[in-house]
Amino acid sequence: MVVDTQDEMVVQPPINEKDQVTEINPEQLDTEPETLENVPVATDFEAMKEIVLPPLLDEPKVIEDVINTWTVENWRTLSKKEHGPIFQAGGYPWRILLFPFGNNVDQSSVYLEHGFQDTNSIPDDWSCCVQFGLVMWNINDPSLFYHHTAHHRFTKEESDWGFTRFLELRKMFQQPWDNSGHPLVENDSVNITAYVRVVEDETGVLWHNFNNYDSKKETGYVGLKNQGATCYLNSLLQSLYFTNAFRKAVYEIPTAEDESITNSAYTLQRLFYQLQISNSAVGTNELTKSFGWDTRHIFEQQDVQELSRKLIERMEERMKGTAAEDALPRMLSGKVKTYVSCIDVEYESSRIEDFWDIQLNVRGIPNLEESFKDYIQQETLDGDNKYWAGDEFKYQDARKGVIFKSFPEVLHLHLKRFEYDIQRDTMMKINDRFEFPEVLDLTPYLDQDADKSEPWIYKLHGVLVHSGDLNAGHYYAYLKPNKDGWFYKFDDDKVTKATMRETLEENFGGEYPASLVQSRTGLQKKTPIMRQMSAYMLVYIRESRLDQVLTPVRKEDCPPHLQKRLDEEAAAREAKRKEREEQHLYLPVKVITEDTFKHHGSTDLADFEANNPAENAAAPRFYRTKKQTTIGELVALIGEDIGQDPKRIRLWIMVNRQNKTTRPDQPIMDLRPTIEETYQRMASTTRDYALRVWAEVAEEVDAEGEAIWPTYQNNANGVIVKNDLILLFLKHFDAERQVLEGVGHIYVSKEKRVEELVPVIAKKMGWGDKLPSGEQLAMWEEIKPTMIETLKAKQSLKAAELQDGDIICFQKVQERKPAEILGKIPRLGDKNSEETTRRWDRYDDAKGFYDFLCNKKEVRFDPHPRCEKANYPSFILTLSTKVTYDQLAERVGEQLGVEPTHLRFFTANASTGSPKSAVRKAVGQTLSTILNPNGYTQQSMQTKANSLFFEVLDMSLAELDTKKNVKVTWLSEGITKAETFDVLVNKQGHIEDLVQAFVKKAQLKDEQEGGRIRVYEIHHHKFFRELVPNYPVLSINDYAEVIAERIPEEERDADERDFIKVIHFQNDPSRIHGIPFKFLLKEGEPFSETKKRLENRTGIKGKAFEKIKFAIVRRFQKPTYLEDDTILFDEGGTIEDDIVLGLDHLDRSRTTRNGGEMFLK
């Protein structure tokens, strides 16, 4: 049973029913009062049908309309749930479902449900789309009625749909209906008429709830997962994927030698192949990582046109030198001619350029054909704006414009749905209606001499759609994968069939047709309802090249190495999935052996978190064992693995002690229980998901080969005997090698004294029966990692409270005075004839080494990017977090072979891994506070806790504190070559000191020999200010970039008033990029000559310079583009901030958008 939604409860009340409304005085309105049409009576079924079955936005095709009336009698005697008579509509049975006294509400509940008698006979995939209205009306007066309208996709699971709150019971029985003197239900009877319209489900997803929807099963295609705000990327990738020739070309890029996630060509190949073979939606994480994007980029919607260009450019670069080298230009690039043609003389100036997409205006233009006409519209140059046609023809009337020489096989059209609004001073979305055809003839927009041997007829292949406004929107695509057949809607991970109306009409934008908008009253009628979705990119394919572009892509077309890699990954995923499914049948077992203990060089007996026993000899052995395996079977498995007779192996249960150590507690003597039963018995003493045991191997066996155990031995009666021997584990600290290692285990009587362990340990270590003369053993008990207590020589083990599983650590020391307590070892400061200087990073006793183990940390050190030329290596050091700044510098200096005083450290950014802030030396500072300077705060969470950058300085840190570091960008060839240098200059110095230091650092000629150097600041790609020689260094803006260049000879003595600032932008002055500069204007110079000087000044040569358009840019105004005869000196002639010269050209650097970089690595 489905409870109706709020939308289904909103109903237009009958006209004659008075409702509580806000009264509006008609005199206050500009419009005339509305006139109400005559309301039909309930028996006029055709007229009522127009009311209860209004037009739907989906406009589905009507299969059949059926009207059926059920007269409900004796209402008060009805049961809780009643069914009306069955009637047929659209070939299926239907009936009304009625809850006379409400479905758990105080209103009558009325639904429409299918009338199948045997629900088991309904196919699982059965569905029927129905628009219906339910009308309740008085049996004697058909002018008294009430109705609700809804539409629904009926399925086997959702068999009914309707209105839980159809009408309040008190209104039905107790109140006269609309002052008529009669209640709606009269004489305990009422009529309920069902108006049922069965409509065609053309796409199979009309009104679908998409629960358990399988895109691959329904359409044969899969979608892409949305990472956060990557729907724009998904729609573009699907468009490129279904351009089959593009996919094939990408497959031909050689990537076998670089199967790296940082290789965007390889990750795009992986993505395309997964889309080809996968049964579920594919992720784009690998691809975006190869772009160099982090979380910030994932949650920012980027410019789709820009992303498309950059991605295609990157693939074109990777295709150079391969079989697919010319594939993309041939497929995606056309040619356009920009010209100025004189009207009265035969003179034309033109240039032909390549284009990869076309940007078309939408505002105020009805359709695509008109937008193309607008694009090639000619501009007449006459009057004061005549064209300079050279010395021969002088100034002439001329026509200026663009015309296409050819179009590519696959044409990408970007519709300018987002434009800058001058009044609002922001970007706005344009929702104007803009129609585009399924078939497009581009012949009218071609040059007369263009090759027309093949028709320039194009067929629509893709529509990329934006829904919403500028700040909050969603992207999806309608694509036609095959030459013939359906369009499909690709909406992130969901793929559905789409009708031509959905593909075309719904994406034209503009207002909804009035016939589809349900009746509204009053002021609402004046406000049009605008479509939120509209096309922003169109893909057309030349009809004569459809077969080549949409050529089938087979599995064999994918690189074999890629298929192999992905098949292996799929098999691994399947194995993991199977393992997860069967996980409940298995219980992991972790086993400590004598061998793993000997290789364990840290606290406790083992690190149970360690993995890969094959690579780490100290890691516990891991067995994935079925829960029903017996302990005996487990012992046999372990014996086979470690090469021992199972009869000689005994397992001890490992338990967690209260001090958070894990030690053996008692042996498992009964081998019959399962490992699950054993684990459950010890569940209260473990914090691990696995059964943890220590495997003891017997040193002696009897005549039958059975193990003889020192304690917990079975006697002849099967009784386990425990004597006074205790199990102890031994660790040896080698002070010379600075290592702690496991030795093995021993059984010792509790009554023995500590000093009696010496010969046992000596024998275990292979030192003989006793220690050489002059040597002693110092011993400690490892109670827990942070509690290491000295053992007294004369003390008994019982008095020392030693028990099974305890650990004793020992080391050799030189013999001291006889009266000295065993365990005391030499200390720094003791007067000794052989006293030597002790290094701070060496530990003379085990207790100090244990402290190091508890505080040790592996720290990665990387050279700061400023050290690249010195080619210093990256390395990892294991250090105590208690070391001071000076000790840290000493260790790193020793590793690098440099002076510790000349090292500076930087913390690392947790998200980007790049250097963050310099570490400032402070009192009481340790490695712990360096890596985590502010405790667990938001700032510390942004700092890597195990990584530092180092910089090797030319001076000591003390001297560095007197300097200011200034990052200077040097322009050596106009603005085309920029090198950045970090320059240290005295904080009390001036710009002239900065120039001298910079010249020395960059190894340039000084100002006397090479010419004066100009230093200026730029901010957000705009010229900020020029810094004069006596300007203080300390006053340089930390948030601005410092630029240095040689002053051109013609500018050296020029008047400051004759300069103009120059910026670079792409299409719109708000999208600035590059390095701005000052440029000298000359009085009376035509812009044709000015351009020559600009070419020399910028260093941009040839075709790259020819593609630049020049404009005067004023604040809050559109750019004014310049002609060759313009006198720029008259236009600007000042260096004021509100007038600059703009160079409009493509930004080939990383482009900033929405406050962040959008780039592909």
Side-chain angles (χ1 to χ4, degrees):
M1 186 71 63
V2 177
V3 178
D4 41 4
T5 65
Q6 291 296 324
D7 289 339
E8 292 164 336
M9 293 167 58
V10 177
V11 181
Q12 294 294 333
I15 300 300
N16 58 355
E17 177 181 347
K18 184 165 180 60
D19 198 1
Q20 294 182 359
V21 298
T22 303
E23 294 187 4
I24 300 176
N25 186 350
E27 295 179 0
Q28 298 174 349
L29 304 177
D30 296 332
T31 56
E32 296 179 3
E34 298 179 22
T35 58
L36 303 178
E37 299 177 1
N38 293 327
V39 178
V41 293
T43 50
D44 188 350
F45 297 120
E46 289 302 317
M48 285 296 296
K49 186 168 72 170
E50 297 298 318
I51 295 176
V52 299
L53 299 179
L56 295 168
L57 289 176
D58 303 283
E59 300 183 56
K61 180 182 176 182
V62 177
I63 295 176
E64 185 180 11
D65 285 348
V66 172
I67 302 169
N68 182 269
T69 300
W70 172 28
T71 301
V72 183
E73 300 177 331
N74 303 315
W75 185 290
R76 298 177 194 275
T77 64
L78 295 176
S79 61
K80 181 180 178 181
K81 181 178 178 181
E82 296 285 348
H83 292 96
I86 293 177
F87 58 94
Q88 295 287 321
Y92 301 117
W94 304 93
R95 64 185 177 186
I96 295 172
L97 171 62
L98 173 66
F99 289 79
F101 309 106
N103 185 8
N104 298 319
V105 292
D106 60 353
Q107 303 187 30
S108 61
S109 304
V110 190
Y111 306 88
L112 178 70
E113 71 170 0
H114 67 64
F116 290 106
Q117 296 301 306
D118 181 10
T119 55
N120 293 325
S121 66
I122 306 174
D124 290 337
D125 60 351
W126 176 80
S127 65
C128 184
C129 295
V130 177
Q131 181 189 14
F132 64 93
L134 298 173
V135 181
M136 184 181 289
W137 50 286
N138 187 286
I139 58 173
N140 299 315
D141 185 354
S143 67
L144 307 180
F145 63 85
Y146 190 72
H147 76 277
H148 278 297
T149 300
H151 61 265
H152 182 61
R153 180 186 188 87
F154 288 86
T155 63
K156 185 176 182 178
E157 291 77 22
E158 294 187 348
S159 59
D160 54 69
W161 197 260
F163 312 98
T164 302
R165 295 175 174 82
F166 188 89
L167 184 60
E168 291 181 57
L169 294 170
R170 61 184 180 82
K171 289 185 177 180
M172 294 169 55
F173 294 95
Q174 300 171 8
Q175 300 177 3
W177 190 262
D178 196 30
N179 301 321
S180 63
H182 304 281
L184 193 61
V185 179
E186 196 167 21
N187 299 327
D188 227 17
S189 301
V190 73
N191 288 325
I192 301 177
T193 300
Y195 293 79
V196 177
R197 171 172 290 169
V198 179
V199 300
E200 183 180 356
D201 180 13
E202 197 176 352
T203 62
V205 292
L206 182 64
W207 306 329
H208 205 299
N209 61 14
F210 293 104
N211 291 336
N212 302 315
Y213 180 77
D214 187 334
S215 294
K216 184 78 170 188
K217 178 182 175 183
E218 300 297 334
T219 66
Y221 306 109
V222 297
L224 291 168
K225 297 175 184 176
N226 192 332
Q227 294 187 53
T230 55
C231 49
Y232 70 97
L233 174 66
N234 292 349
S235 61
L236 174 64
L237 290 173
Q238 291 281 19
S239 172
L240 295 174
Y241 171 79
F242 284 108
T243 308
N244 293 359
F246 179 87
R247 193 192 332 166
K248 271 193 169 183
V250 169
Y251 281 161
E252 291 182 20
I253 299 174
T255 56
E257 302 301 320
D258 186 13
E259 294 187 33
S260 165
I261 297 302
T262 60
N263 180 357
S264 54
Y266 174 65
T267 54
L268 188 61
Q269 286 179 343
R270 285 176 62 93
L271 180 74
F272 280 177
Y273 185 63
Q274 288 176 83
L275 283 172
Q276 201 166 313
I277 65 169
S278 178
N279 291 320
S280 58
V282 177
T284 58
N285 305 63
E286 291 180 350
L287 184 68
T288 54
K289 282 181 182 176
S290 74
F291 291 171
W293 292 3
D294 55 27
T295 307
R296 174 168 56 90
H297 299 99
I298 295 303
F299 286 92
E300 283 180 2
Q301 289 188 344
Q302 312 287 355
D303 186 315
V304 178
Q305 180 192 12
E306 186 177 4
L307 176 61
S308 173
R309 284 183 179 177
K310 284 183 174 288
L311 184 57
I312 292 171
E313 280 178 14
R314 179 55 47 83
M315 294 305 111
E316 186 191 11
E317 287 175 16
R318 297 303 301 268
M319 290 177 189
K320 287 179 180 176
T322 71
E325 182 169 0
D326 298 324
L328 295 192
R330 183 177 63 252
M331 187 193 320
L332 299 169
S333 177
K335 294 188 180 295
V336 63
K337 181 174 81 171
T338 304
Y339 65 89
V340 179
S341 179
C342 294
I343 297 173
D344 301 320
V345 297
E346 291 188 7
Y347 181 87
E348 181 179 281
S349 171
S350 65
R351 70 171 182 267
I352 296 176
E353 298 175 289
D354 294 334
F355 69 87
W356 292 78
D357 52 48
I358 304 173
Q359 292 190 67
L360 296 172
N361 289 322
V362 171
R363 187 187 293 276
I365 298 176
N367 55 49
L368 189 61
E369 291 86 348
E370 291 299 319
S371 190
F372 263 104
K373 290 177 184 177
D374 174 70
Y375 193 90
I376 65 169
Q377 185 177 6
Q378 292 180 336
E379 177 189 354
T380 302
L381 306 177
D382 56 11
D384 294 336
N385 197 26
K386 286 187 176 183
Y387 175 68
W388 175 258
D391 295 335
E392 182 180 356
F393 297 111
K394 310 298 181 186
Y395 286 101
Q396 293 287 333
D397 291 344
R399 294 188 180 92
K400 176 185 176 184
V402 295
I403 193 71
F404 292 99
K405 300 291 288 183
S406 67
F407 293 102
E409 295 174 350
V410 181
L411 179 61
H412 286 178
L413 302 177
H414 291 273
L415 308 183
K416 295 167 77 171
R417 284 284 180 188
F418 304 100
E419 283 191 357
Y420 180 74
D421 189 307
I422 296 177
Q423 272 127 13
R424 293 185 176 89
D425 189 24
T426 187
M427 297 291 288
M428 297 290 291
K429 183 179 178 182
I430 299 169
N431 278 317
D432 294 6
R433 182 177 176 84
F434 182 87
E435 299 178 6
F436 47 89
E438 186 180 1
V439 179
L440 176 65
D441 185 359
L442 293 176
T443 309
Y445 319 113
L446 283 166
D447 198 1
Q448 292 180 353
D449 59 356
D451 180 5
K452 298 176 183 175
S453 56
E454 285 183 49
W456 292 95
I457 306 293
Y458 281 74
K459 295 199 75 172
L460 184 65
H461 172 70
V463 181
L464 277 64
V465 181
H466 177 267
S467 175
D469 59 22
L470 180 70
N471 299 313
H474 179 59
Y475 293 82
Y476 49 90
Y478 290 90
L479 300 168
K480 190 176 184 180
N482 300 305
K483 180 179 177 180
D484 302 307
W486 287 83
F487 273 88
Y488 291 85
K489 181 181 180 182
F490 293 82
D491 187 354
D492 286 338
D493 56 356
K494 191 166 64 221
V495 185
T496 57
K497 274 185 180 179
T499 64
M500 287 308 298
R501 182 191 59 78
E502 289 176 284
T503 305
L504 297 174
E505 173 64 35
E506 287 196 3
N507 299 312
F508 288 161
E511 302 176 17
Y512 280 105
S515 61
L516 298 181
V517 179
Q518 295 195 13
S519 59
R520 299 182 298 158
T521 59
L523 293 171
Q524 290 180 333
K525 280 192 173 180
K526 296 185 66 178
T527 307
I529 296 181
M530 303 296 290
R531 296 184 192 270
Q532 289 298 301
M533 58 279 192
S534 53
Y536 71 93
M537 178 176 166
L538 305 174
V539 181
Y540 282 90
I541 300 177
R542 193 173 183 183
E543 190 174 38
S544 59
R545 306 293 174 88
L546 272 170
D547 291 331
Q548 293 99 302
V549 173
L550 299 181
T551 177
V553 183
R554 301 178 303 276
K555 189 175 181 180
E556 303 80 63
D557 294 318
C558 180
H561 71 92
L562 184 64
Q563 293 186 44
K564 182 181 177 184
R565 171 64 69 87
L566 288 172
D567 289 346
E568 289 172 352
E569 291 175 3
R573 283 195 301 272
E574 178 61 22
K576 281 188 176 181
R577 183 195 64 77
K578 190 174 180 182
E579 184 178 324
R580 283 195 301 270
E581 286 181 354
E582 298 178 350
Q583 192 169 0
H584 66 286
L585 302 175
Y586 289 83
L587 178 67
V589 180
K590 295 179 180 179
V591 182
I592 300 174
T593 66
E594 199 82 358
D595 190 55
T596 62
F597 175 59
K598 287 180 178 179
H599 285 90
H600 181 61
S602 189
T603 59
D604 226 327
L605 297 180
D607 178 9
F608 283 103
E609 300 301 319
N611 298 315
N612 301 323
E615 299 176 9
N616 181 3
R621 292 182 178 271
F622 183 87
Y623 302 93
R624 186 170 179 263
T625 316
K626 285 192 173 181
K627 292 179 178 179
Q628 299 309 309
T629 302
T630 65
I631 294 295
E633 291 169 337
L634 175 62
V635 169
L637 180 64
I638 295 170
E640 183 182 356
D641 188 33
I642 65 176
Q644 291 287 351
D645 184 349
K647 291 181 180 180
R648 301 183 63 168
I649 296 175
R650 179 168 69 171
L651 302 182
W652 287 63
I653 291 288
M654 303 286 293
V655 299
N656 291 321
R657 294 184 176 179
Q658 288 184 345
N659 60 13
K660 298 184 179 179
T661 59
T662 306
R663 305 289 173 84
D665 182 53
Q666 61 182 20
I668 306 172
M669 303 306 294
D670 187 357
L671 305 183
R672 293 170 298 175
T674 65
I675 61 171
E676 182 179 27
E677 292 168 343
T678 306
Y679 177 80
Q680 288 174 346
R681 281 202 300 269
M682 58 167 282
S684 61
T685 62
T686 184
R687 292 187 292 269
D688 204 304
Y689 64 93
L691 175 65
R692 298 179 298 181
V693 295
W694 170 58
E696 179 186 10
V697 179
E699 296 179 358
E700 299 180 53
V701 294
D702 60 18
E704 285 78 30
E706 297 294 334
I708 299 174
W709 304 109
T711 184
Y712 290 102
Q713 178 69 51
N714 283 323
N715 62 14
N717 300 323
V719 178
I720 298 173
V721 179
K722 172 76 170 81
N723 52 32
D724 72 337
L725 297 181
I726 58 173
L727 170 68
L728 297 177
F729 289 88
L730 301 176
K731 288 184 180 180
H732 174 226
F733 174 60
D734 190 329
E736 183 66 29
R737 293 164 50 222
Q738 293 285 293
V739 293
L740 181 71
E741 51 197 359
V743 174
H745 70 280
I746 59 174
Y747 284 94
V748 187
S749 170
K750 288 183 180 180
E751 305 304 326
K752 294 267 189 183
R753 295 194 304 273
V754 171
E755 62 185 1
E756 292 180 78
L757 295 177
V758 173
V760 179
I761 292 173
K763 186 176 180 181
K764 195 84 174 173
M765 293 295 293
W767 295 337
D769 293 335
K770 63 178 183 178
L771 293 177
S773 176
E775 290 185 352
Q776 288 182 328
L777 284 187
M779 293 190 224
W780 297 265
E781 180 192 358
E782 180 190 321
I783 299 174
K784 60 180 180 179
T786 56
M787 185 181 290
I788 313 298
E789 289 194 353
T790 304
L791 292 174
K792 297 176 183 178
K794 302 299 182 183
Q795 192 178 28
S796 70
L797 302 185
K798 185 175 182 180
E801 298 183 350
L802 292 175
Q803 64 184 45
D804 282 334
D806 282 351
I807 299 172
I808 291 179
C809 178
F810 63 90
Q811 76 174 93
K812 278 184 178 181
V813 296
Q814 294 300 314
E815 187 174 0
R816 304 291 292 174
K817 297 175 184 178
E820 199 165 16
I821 297 174
L822 187 67
K824 185 177 181 184
I825 50 97
R827 299 183 181 277
L828 184 66
D830 289 348
K831 298 302 178 182
N832 192 317
S833 59
E834 297 180 0
E835 182 177 342
T836 55
T837 305
R838 175 178 174 270
R839 281 182 58 92
W840 60 266
D841 57 349
R842 287 186 62 81
Y843 303 92
D844 291 335
D845 67 349
K847 195 167 185 178
F849 191 73
Y850 268 101
D851 182 71
F852 164 74
L853 291 177
C854 292
N855 294 284
K856 73 174 182 177
K857 194 182 195 76
E858 282 193 345
V859 183
R860 178 185 173 90
F861 293 88
D862 294 292
H864 195 282
R866 291 199 285 259
C867 294
E868 284 181 357
K869 290 184 180 178
N871 200 26
Y872 288 110
S874 297
F875 55 91
I876 294 175
L877 292 179
T878 302
L879 300 165
S880 169
T881 55
K882 292 182 176 181
V883 300
T884 64
Y885 185 99
D886 289 335
Q887 291 170 340
L888 174 66
E890 182 183 333
R891 280 297 305 274
V892 175
E894 187 179 272
Q895 180 77 22
L896 296 171
V898 300
E899 287 291 332
T901 55
H902 286 52
L903 282 171
R904 177 163 59 169
F905 298 102
F906 298 81
T907 54
N909 189 299
S911 58
T912 64
S914 56
K916 202 175 173 187
S917 54
V919 176
R920 294 192 174 276
K921 189 175 176 181
V923 178
Q925 191 177 38
T926 64
L927 178 60
S928 177
T929 58
I930 289 172
L931 292 172
N932 189 16
N934 299 303
Y936 292 99
T937 62
Q938 184 67 29
Q939 183 178 351
S940 68
M941 289 172 66
Q942 297 172 0
T943 303
K944 268 193 176 181
N946 61 346
S947 180
L948 289 172
F949 284 86
F950 63 86
E951 180 185 10
V952 181
L953 305 171
D954 297 329
M955 62 190 74
S956 68
L957 269 177
E959 186 181 353
L960 181 67
D961 286 340
T962 66
K963 307 284 186 180
K964 178 181 174 72
N965 184 63
V966 182
K967 194 182 291 289
V968 179
T969 300
W970 171 247
L971 304 180
S972 56
E973 298 175 12
I975 59 168
T976 58
K977 185 177 179 182
E979 294 179 90
T980 301
F981 298 88
D982 284 291
V983 182
L984 289 171
V985 60
N986 193 299
K987 291 180 178 179
Q988 306 305 316
H990 299 85
I991 294 300
E992 56 189 354
D993 301 314
L994 173 64
V995 170
Q996 290 177 14
F998 165 70
V999 166
K1000 183 178 179 182
K1001 179 75 178 266
Q1003 298 180 348
L1004 303 173
K1005 294 179 181 179
D1006 61 22
E1007 288 189 289
Q1008 289 184 349
E1009 187 179 352
R1012 282 167 48 202
I1013 292 177
R1014 172 188 291 139
V1015 180
Y1016 60 97
E1017 291 178 329
I1018 67 172
H1019 189 57
H1020 290 312
H1021 304 288
K1022 292 181 180 179
F1023 194 103
F1024 183 45
R1025 62 182 172 184
E1026 186 170 346
L1027 304 177
V1028 295
N1030 61 352
Y1031 188 82
V1033 168
L1034 272 177
S1035 299
I1036 293 176
N1037 193 321
D1038 290 334
Y1039 298 99
E1041 295 180 59
V1042 177
I1043 310 294
E1045 64 174 355
R1046 297 277 184 197
I1047 301 178
E1049 188 175 347
E1050 66 175 1
E1051 297 181 8
R1052 288 176 186 171
D1053 300 315
D1055 191 327
E1056 193 66 25
R1057 292 172 295 179
D1058 293 339
F1059 284 90
I1060 190 170
K1061 294 177 183 176
V1062 184
I1063 63 167
H1064 308 263
F1065 68 92
Q1066 180 179 336
N1067 300 329
D1068 190 288
S1070 62
R1071 297 177 63 185
I1072 58 176
H1073 60 89
I1075 298 176
F1077 58 94
K1078 283 170 58 176
F1079 181 68
L1080 179 65
L1081 301 179
K1082 292 187 177 181
E1083 190 170 359
E1085 180 183 62
F1087 194 65
S1088 57
E1089 296 298 319
T1090 305
K1091 281 199 295 186
K1092 295 176 183 177
R1093 290 196 300 116
L1094 274 168
E1095 185 173 4
N1096 291 328
R1097 179 72 174 85
T1098 59
I1100 304 173
K1101 306 292 183 183
K1103 288 186 177 180
F1105 187 80
E1106 290 176 10
K1107 291 180 180 179
I1108 298 176
K1109 295 184 286 186
F1110 302 89
I1112 287 291
V1113 180
R1114 293 179 173 86
R1115 192 178 297 172
F1116 307 125
Q1117 295 184 29
K1118 286 188 175 181
T1120 305
Y1121 286 90
L1122 303 172
E1123 304 298 335
D1124 284 353
D1125 57 349
T1126 305
I1127 307 298
L1128 188 56
F1129 190 89
D1130 299 337
E1131 297 284 346
T1134 177
I1135 200 162
E1136 293 176 5
D1137 289 337
D1138 60 344
I1139 297 180
V1140 296
L1141 173 62
L1143 275 56
D1144 182 356
H1145 59 108
L1146 184 65
D1147 176 13
R1148 296 192 177 276
S1149 64
R1150 296 177 177 184
T1151 305
T1152 301
R1153 176 177 167 81
N1154 293 338
E1157 291 180 343
M1158 197 286 289
F1159 58 92
L1160 307 185
K1161 277 189 177 177

